[in-house]
Amino acid sequence: MDLILEGLRKAFYLIFTLDREVLGITLLSLQVSGTATLISLFIGISVGTAVALSKFPGRQLVVSLINTGMGLPPVVVGLFVTIFLWRNGPLGFLEILYTPTAIILAQAVIATPIVTGITLASIQNLPANLRLQILALGATRVQMVWLLVKEARLPLLAAVMAGFGGIISEVGASIMVGGNIRGYSRVLTTATVMETGRGNFDVAIALSVILMLLAFIVNAILTQIQQRERPR
Amino acid sequence: MNSADYSNVLLQAEDLLVRRGGVTVLDIGALDVLSGQVLALIGPNGAGKSTLLLTLAGLLKPARGRLLFRGEPIGNGGFDYRRHIAMVFQEPLLFDTTVFENVATGLKIRGVGRAEIGRMVPEYLERFGVGHLAKRSARKLSGGEAQRTSLARAFVTKPEIVFLDEPFSSLDPPTRDALTGDLEQILCETHTTAVASTHDQTEALRLADRIAVVNGGRIAQIGPVAEIMNRPANEFVASFVGVETVLPGRVVETSDGVFVAAVEGGEIQAVGHVRTGDGVLCCIRPEHVTLSTNTSFPTSSARNVFSGTIRKITPLGLFHRIHLNCGFDLVAYVTRQSLETLSLDEGKSVIASFKATAVHVIPHQAPR
């Protein structure tokens, strides 16, 4: 019990004194996962909408793959991203293995199917005739897609939450492709793993508290928006 | 009247064929939508009314055939054409935003300026009686208010043709009645051409200049309202529209609730709240018409007595349907016994009578 209390005491000390190293790790985590979420939103919303609105042979298979992708294990992503970025791998020439960029890449790979799957479902859940109604209002194809995505904005917020929540707390891929290099590619989760391994429970607890706070704050803001606009 | 004046044709469909899952769901040889008129599509569920509307609106690509708008084939994937039309579905299909923004959508899509939108949207909100709801979320509207918003959204773009797919069928009767009246008025004022599908015959009679009866993906009959109602082309049309006599007319005199309407070929007395000059449709059910062969007019409470000749007799099992020409078309039912007693036959002269209270009166804007 003392271990936990002592850990918590130390944790709040580290947080409230704005410990340089802890602050750096926190900011990097936010930056990496935020960027990866943005990338996944861009790709996921585009692909999800395209699949939702089109008919082509093998569509069923594509939808199944996307849905499977929503549960992609981070370590598997980490493994394959590592292989691709390895010195003599297909993308080895980029020389980004063990950099924050590599973490962004891996996290984007994890979050994209999540965003795609939720987008696909929310666009498909719109009334079937809405697309025709928008076209009958004189919309171009681009305007039609834009109005549909706008109409699905509340469920799409869920996609942002699920995507960001999934990657800020992910550790397997980050440690494999980022390498947990101090002051460079060390993020909250990888640091927590390491400090726990070393027996520095106080630091580990501090990092965990920050991680949970971050996830909570981001979700709280998005939930606030979502519930404010909720249909009554 | 059926062979339309071609300068008056706004939209023409030629040889339309629509297939769904390998099954032909629509097969229309030719269909003309006349400028400034309302064409009602009536028919049973699954007859292809909605498919026909979507195809005419350029929203559903037919497997064969083409559409001509003002004589020009519709090209560019129908995009240019879609800027001239509007469509209202059975569901209001409003966007999750305010009533104002919903109505502004079509204008924004067309790149209309903010000032112009600020001027036009309130005007159309008022016209459809939802001006006070401008700032309300579309999610908080009642069914009637939502459909009014949907109508305002369609009309604000000043479409040349409006397509209405059973627009009021999910509303309760009083709301439906009020909305039909408002729609009738705006169609009349703006001379907007409209194609509306409905399974409500009264609605069709009230709004339409012409009626097309759709069955099994084909047009069973198309023509002016009175022609469809009084001279159904076949048994299907007759059974679907019923065999009421429907006479378009104009009120020429009113006194104490009873009014006189001039119809083509005669005058009919009926009961209702109308004013002199109003357009009306007088509907008379065949079971309400009494026939006699006495040449002297008997005194009875029937205020409408006409002499006419029998045009056609159709046996219907237990009774017979008699088509009369009294200056206008009139249909009566008689039993086999009466047929024999009165020795009715085609070409014979008879006296037909019905009570003023037996006339079902539907308000109807003057033929445009």
Side-chain angles (χ1 to χ4, degrees), chain B residues 16-19 24-28 47-48 51-52 55 214 217-218:
Chain B
L16 286 185
L17 187 79
V18 178
R19 290 173 171 282
T24 302
V25 291
L26 197 69
D27 185 357
I28 306 282
T51 309
L52 177 55
T55 313
V214 185
R218 291 165 187 275

Side-chain angles (χ1 to χ4, degrees), chain B residues 1-12 32-37 68-72 160 193 210:
Chain B
M1 183 75 187
N2 205 6
S3 56
D5 173 9
Y6 271 76
S7 61
N8 201 19
V9 174
L10 187 59
L11 178 69
Q12 240 176 312
D32 295 333
V33 178
L34 305 185
S35 185
Q37 293 206 346
L68 294 112
F69 182 62
R70 302 175 180 286
E72 299 282 329
E160 289 175 66
T193 308
R210 296 203 306 155

Side-chain angles (χ1 to χ4, degrees), chain A residues 84-221:
Chain A
F84 268 76
L85 297 180
W86 200 253
R87 205 172 299 114
N88 40 19
L91 298 176
F93 65 92
L94 293 174
E95 296 183 346
I96 55 169
L97 190 59
Y98 306 129
T99 66
T101 312
I103 309 180
I104 292 175
L105 180 66
Q107 293 194 343
V109 172
I110 296 167
T112 299
I114 299 175
V115 176
T116 311
I118 297 178
T119 305
L120 178 66
S122 30
I123 297 281
Q124 279 184 336
N125 269 340
L126 295 173
N129 278 338
L130 189 62
R131 195 175 63 85
L132 296 177
Q133 173 70 81
I134 294 171
L135 287 176
L137 283 168
T140 61
R141 237 190 124 64
V142 175
Q143 287 173 325
M144 185 263 286
V145 170
W146 167 242
L147 282 169
L148 283 177
V149 170
K150 218 169 109 186
E151 205 48 25
R153 63 190 181 276
L154 293 185
L156 287 182
L157 275 178
V160 180
M161 289 191 256
F164 182 80
I167 56 182
I168 187 98
S169 57
E170 171 286 322
V171 60
S174 300
I175 214 158
M176 288 161 89
V177 305
N180 190 30
I181 301 164
R182 181 174 188 186
Y184 179 59
S185 65
R186 182 167 293 172
V187 293
L188 285 167
T189 51
T190 59
T192 309
V193 171
M194 186 194 68
E195 298 296 352
T196 309
R198 283 180 178 169
N200 295 335
F201 295 123
D202 46 1
V203 184
I205 290 174
L207 294 169
S208 305
V209 168
I210 293 171
L211 182 61
M212 287 191 291
L213 270 177
L214 270 188
F216 175 76
I217 291 168
V218 171
N219 277 300
I221 294 170

Side-chain angles (χ1 to χ4, degrees), chain A residues 127 129-130 132-141 143 147 151 153-154 229 231-232, chain B residues 54 59 79 82-83 85-87 89 91 93-96 105-106 109-110 139-140 153:
Chain A
N129 278 338
L130 189 62
L132 296 177
Q133 173 70 81
I134 294 171
L135 287 176
L137 283 168
T140 61
R141 237 190 124 64
Q143 287 173 325
L147 282 169
E151 205 48 25
R153 63 190 181 276
L154 293 185
E229 285 211 32
R232 272 160 285 231
Chain B
L54 289 176
L59 299 172
F79 171 68
R82 283 195 276 107
R83 291 256 158 129
I85 64 149
M87 179 143 189
F89 290 83
E91 329 97 272
L93 294 171
L94 297 179
F95 299 108
D96 183 10
T105 305
I109 281 173
R110 285 164 174 76
R139 300 227 178 231
K140 292 188 203 161
R153 179 175 64 178

